[in-house]
Amino acid sequence: MQSNDLIDFMNSATGQMSDEYNRIQKRAVEDPGTTGDQGEENWATVFRNWLPPTFHVVTKGRILGHEGVASPQVDVIILQPEYPKHLLDKKLFLADGILAAFECKVTLKALHISDFIKNSALIKSQAGVRTGSPYREIQSPIIYGLLTHAHSWKGKESEPLNNITNAIIKADELYISHPRLMPDVICVADLSFWSSGKIVFISPRTLPDWSTMPLNYSEKEMAVSYYLESKMMFKEHALHFTPIGALITTLWNKISYEDPSLRKLAQYFLNVNMVGSEQGKMRIWEMSIYSNEIRNRIVSGELKQGEPWDEWNWSIP
């Protein structure tokens, strides 16, 4: 299979991140504060290189909700092109001007995942509650993610993929009370990539093979959320996947819901298939997560299938 040059670029970005990790670690004991700052700048550079140049990428700030409450500090923030120039250096960023925000860790530990998902619920609450479509009711306009150069599970018998997935699921059950509060992406540059998504509606009458479904579904109508770990299922695809490539592809895809001008390039990234195959565990939600109006329209059959970025699509990546 012929390789797309875009894949080569992502492999290069991955190699550079690894080099930066090794360089940063040499001074980590002397000055841990500077180590963290350098790690954040590494990720900010990735976004400046791979997202539209009209986006503002800033480091270290808090998100200011409508009611004047500021979030915990986040490390990297991507602001809309229209964001007021006068406010770019104020370190308090208006929630409605934010496209994405990220926590950055040089070396990932289990506690970081729990804190990150707790913070996701806090920060996405500041974006308020939207109505008008299934997408708007179960997806926050602020993308929230966790970015790390490496992970701490390096022992011979360690299982970092399982450890991270289990920590995500445990924290989600503890802190996430509505699908719109879920974090969106976790990228461990030397390991793998996780992203969240939602199935807007399933029921026995929409799935003919209901009895064979892997989950313990009831007979009730419901929605589903999930976290998927990216994998390459076939050897010939192994060179296509890098966690950073999956991260950039997913961000283009998710931001395209809010900014339609990005969709043509987002589709190109998706077609190159740098995310790979995905697998993960699902969580069931009652239909009460929706407003009465949207719930009634969903159940009456207004959902669509196979139309990317449609706010009435049955699945929201």
Side-chain angles (χ1 to χ4, degrees):
M1 178 179 295
Q2 186 171 350
S3 175
N4 187 301
D5 286 359
L6 186 58
I7 297 166
D8 297 333
F9 293 143
M10 290 303 169
N11 281 323
S12 176
T14 299
Q16 290 170 10
M17 191 65 75
S18 177
D19 291 343
E20 282 296 294
Y21 177 76
N22 292 332
R23 181 184 67 81
I24 290 170
Q25 286 299 95
K26 291 178 182 178
R27 300 287 185 180
V29 175
E30 300 177 7
D31 189 355
T34 299
T35 296
D37 292 345
Q38 290 178 332
E40 293 158 16
E41 285 297 333
N42 291 160
W43 288 107
T45 297
V46 169
F47 294 142
R48 291 176 185 131
N49 287 341
W50 286 104
L51 294 178
T54 53
F55 292 174
H56 305 285
V57 180
V58 296
T59 58
K60 288 198 184 311
R62 301 171 73 191
I63 298 171
L64 189 64
H66 302 140
E67 298 177 355
V69 177
S71 74
Q73 180 174 281
V74 291
D75 299 315
V76 177
I77 301 173
I78 300 171
L79 300 165
Q80 295 175 356
E82 302 82 6
Y83 199 84
K85 182 179 179 180
H86 180 70
L87 299 179
L88 287 175
D89 63 350
K90 303 306 179 187
K91 298 300 181 181
L92 277 175
F93 298 102
L94 310 182
D96 285 352
I98 294 173
L99 290 169
F102 302 91
E103 296 181 30
C104 300
K105 306 295 179 185
V106 176
T107 304
L108 180 66
K109 300 177 182 178
L111 179 61
H112 296 152
I113 297 171
S114 178
D115 290 344
F116 156 68
I117 293 180
K118 183 178 180 180
N119 287 339
S120 176
L122 290 171
I123 286 170
K124 294 203 174 198
S125 294
Q126 292 180 297
V129 177
R130 303 190 294 178
T131 60
S133 70
Y135 167 80
R136 292 175 66 82
E137 294 198 359
I138 63 173
Q139 180 65 33
S140 169
I142 298 177
I143 295 167
Y144 199 66
L146 175 62
L147 311 173
T148 80
H149 291 63
H151 61 89
S152 59
W153 297 279
K154 300 295 187 179
K156 194 172 183 181
E157 303 300 322
S158 294
E159 297 183 335
L161 293 173
N162 288 336
N163 292 342
I164 294 170
T165 297
N166 291 338
I168 293 170
I169 293 169
K170 182 179 178 182
D172 180 88
E173 292 173 349
L174 187 60
Y175 296 118
I176 302 302
S177 59
H178 192 284
R180 71 173 174 273
L181 304 179
M182 296 172 67
D184 296 277
V185 295
I186 297 175
C187 181
V188 184
D190 72 342
L191 182 67
S192 194
F193 174 79
W194 289 257
S195 64
S196 66
K198 293 99 179 179
I199 298 174
V200 174
F201 174 67
I202 57 173
S203 76
R205 60 191 177 86
T206 62
L207 293 176
D209 54 350
W210 184 261
S211 61
T212 66
M213 293 299 290
L215 288 178
N216 182 24
Y217 290 115
S218 68
E219 293 300 312
K220 295 187 295 185
E221 297 165 331
M222 64 191 70
V224 170
S225 66
Y226 51 82
Y227 296 93
L228 296 180
E229 177 203 337
S230 295
K231 292 177 176 289
M232 275 298 163
M233 303 303 290
F234 306 102
K235 262 186 188 177
E236 58 267 30
H237 295 164
L239 293 178
H240 286 213
F241 172 71
T242 61
I244 292 177
L247 169 67
I248 296 303
T249 299
T250 300
L251 289 180
W252 275 89
N253 187 23
K254 286 180 178 287
I255 296 174
S256 289
Y257 272 94
E258 305 290 331
D259 186 346
S261 69
L262 305 185
R263 292 176 182 177
K264 187 174 181 180
L265 264 174
Q267 189 61 61
Y268 186 94
F269 275 83
L270 291 168
N271 289 343
V272 176
N273 190 26
M274 291 184 291
V275 175
S277 301
E278 299 173 302
Q279 64 181 36
K281 184 178 178 181
M282 296 183 175
R283 177 177 176 181
I284 295 171
W285 297 90
E286 301 283 345
M287 291 296 288
S288 58
I289 60 172
Y290 299 109
S291 65
N292 289 335
E293 176 193 353
I294 296 301
R295 181 169 64 247
N296 291 337
R297 292 177 65 183
I298 289 171
V299 173
S300 68
E302 292 193 33
L303 291 180
K304 302 173 184 178
Q305 290 194 30
E307 298 188 29
W309 305 295
D310 192 302
E311 292 190 8
W312 283 86
N313 203 342
W314 75 282
S315 177
I316 297 172

